[in-house]
Amino acid sequence: MKKFIAAVCISAMILCGCGSQTAYLKPYTVVTAGKTSDVVSMLHTDVWEGFAENLAVVSVEDSQTGVNSQTLSEINGTEILLTGTTDHTVLTAYNIYTQMPPASITKILTALVALKYGGDLDQKVILTDDVNVDVWDAQMCGFKPGDEMTLRTLLYSMLVYSGNDAANAVASAVSGGDIPAFCELMNEEARKLGATQTHFVTPNGLDDPDHYTTAYDLYLIFNECLKYDVFRDAISQPRYTASFVRDGEECQQTYDSTNYYLLGNKTPPEGVTVIGGKTGTTDNAGLCLILYVEDEAGNGYVSVLLGCPDKDTLYASMSKLLSDIRK
């Protein structure tokens, strides 16, 4: 908890003075006239704290015109990115620096903060009123105030089933009940990774005008998350059975993944194995998906698709995007 409080204090100093932005789609405003050089400067660790030298980078000009335009003409999405995690090569990209709502893909950053600052994942957590979400169609695990379970159970329920109540409970448990402070720490962790176009105000990703990111920032965050074995395991599960105590009785509830590839409802291109990922859907974000996949040689790739109009289009477009791995 001391580590959490200290990190929040640091984030508060960094975030002070940042103005509210009201539009959902926002330009990459901090990039100046020297756009390409500004983006490439992210590779210099003396300029961008926490940035590794071995990350995929696309110039703003290339992002605007599109990398691999032949494939892009067959993909229906607002932001598109496919990059290799092994050789850091960008295979396909379009519009990856435009700020937009990410829906429940937000939860990968919630998980990262919890894994860094939450301590023992098997500690018992008693849920509070923070699990209550007043959005009628929000995805919910059905947890209630007073339920007792481990932080690990909450993390898996959040990442597998995308429960918004689970995300709130994770943030509340790690922050001692201060969800706004948890969100400040989310933003600070994003900045450490170079995800400077991200600003989150919820741990669950439900629509808010001040809640936005970019496809490239999500790549940076997801790339960091993949360093945690627990995260990799959680996002690869086709279903998860949560065990918890309610009113003194042992309860179990099984949740199916929201990822249709893992459920077998959709099939990736031949030679591509979907290891895991995170979905997201809201009215403003559309349908979104981020994946970690591997080719037949075991090389890894991160694929991001944001702003699709419907589920069939999302998976058809993602499969088309993944087919670039074999070219």
Side-chain angles (χ1 to χ4, degrees):
M1 187 59 66
K2 289 181 178 178
K3 184 188 292 185
F4 177 85
I5 293 172
V8 168
C9 290
I10 294 171
S11 77
M13 291 186 290
I14 292 177
L15 292 174
C16 181
C18 292
S20 173
Q21 300 186 54
T22 56
Y24 269 110
L25 290 177
K26 304 176 179 65
Y28 196 65
T29 52
V30 299
V31 178
T32 61
K35 293 177 179 178
T36 303
S37 61
D38 281 353
V39 174
V40 173
S41 74
M42 294 178 183
L43 293 179
H44 300 301
T45 55
D46 58 332
V47 177
W48 292 85
E49 180 185 359
F51 242 81
E53 295 181 0
N54 54 352
L55 288 171
V57 173
V58 179
S59 73
V60 173
E61 285 84 357
D62 286 343
S63 173
Q64 291 170 343
T65 58
V67 177
N68 194 358
S69 57
Q70 181 177 358
T71 293
L72 291 171
S73 65
E74 302 178 52
I75 297 175
N76 187 341
T78 304
E79 299 194 22
I80 302 162
L81 177 65
L82 174 62
T83 178
T85 62
T86 303
D87 61 6
H88 322 297
T89 300
V90 175
L91 302 181
T92 311
Y94 174 68
N95 200 32
I96 63 174
Y97 300 123
T98 297
Q99 293 168 325
M100 65 174 288
S104 285
I105 296 183
T106 297
K107 291 167 180 142
I108 66 173
L109 186 52
T110 303
L112 178 62
V113 172
L115 290 168
K116 288 191 69 173
Y117 299 101
D120 182 9
L121 295 183
D122 295 314
Q123 62 183 289
K124 296 292 183 180
V125 176
I126 298 178
L127 306 191
T128 69
D129 288 341
D130 285 332
V131 297
N132 296 325
V133 176
D134 60 358
V135 177
W136 72 271
D137 59 346
Q139 179 93 337
M140 302 289 281
C141 293
F143 296 142
K144 297 180 179 180
D147 288 351
E148 183 178 349
M149 63 195 73
T150 65
L151 182 57
R152 186 186 303 273
T153 296
L154 288 171
L155 275 171
Y156 273 73
S157 300
M158 176 184 75
L159 292 172
V160 175
Y161 188 65
S162 200
N164 292 295
D165 46 355
N168 282 12
V170 167
S172 182
V174 173
S175 66
D178 192 344
I179 290 182
F182 184 90
C183 293
E184 289 179 359
L185 187 54
M186 291 172 70
N187 293 322
E188 169 58 13
E189 289 302 310
R191 282 165 173 75
K192 288 180 180 178
L193 297 172
T196 59
Q197 300 309 298
T198 292
H199 184 261
F200 288 163
V201 296
T202 75
N204 51 48
L206 291 171
D207 284 330
D208 186 288
D210 248 1
H211 192 95
Y212 48 84
T213 187
T214 70
Y216 187 73
D217 280 7
L218 290 176
Y219 153 70
L220 296 176
I221 295 165
F222 194 61
N223 195 51
E224 184 70 15
C225 289
L226 291 172
K227 297 177 182 179
Y228 292 83
D229 291 340
V230 171
F231 181 86
R232 281 177 174 256
D233 184 66
I235 64 170
S236 71
Q237 300 299 318
R239 59 192 46 85
Y240 175 70
T241 299
S243 299
F244 55 96
V245 175
R246 174 175 292 168
D247 298 328
E249 296 185 4
E250 296 284 345
C251 302
Q252 285 191 332
Q253 179 65 49
T254 298
Y255 303 103
D256 284 345
S257 172
T258 57
N259 186 333
Y260 273 23
Y261 287 122
L262 296 182
L263 293 177
N265 296 339
K266 299 293 182 181
T267 304
E270 184 178 353
V272 176
T273 300
V274 174
I275 305 302
K278 185 72 195 73
T279 63
T281 305
T282 65
D283 290 341
N284 285 293
L287 280 79
C288 308
L289 181 60
I290 188 168
L291 294 176
Y292 174 68
V293 306
E294 292 182 352
D295 62 17
E296 292 174 310
N299 300 311
Y301 301 82
V302 172
S303 185
V304 187
L305 191 54
L306 306 180
C308 289
D310 56 67
K311 193 162 290 186
D312 286 340
T313 301
L314 172 70
Y315 285 94
S317 294
M318 180 60 82
S319 290
K320 181 62 183 177
L321 181 59
L322 295 176
S323 68
D324 284 345
I325 291 172
R326 300 202 57 180
K327 291 181 180 179

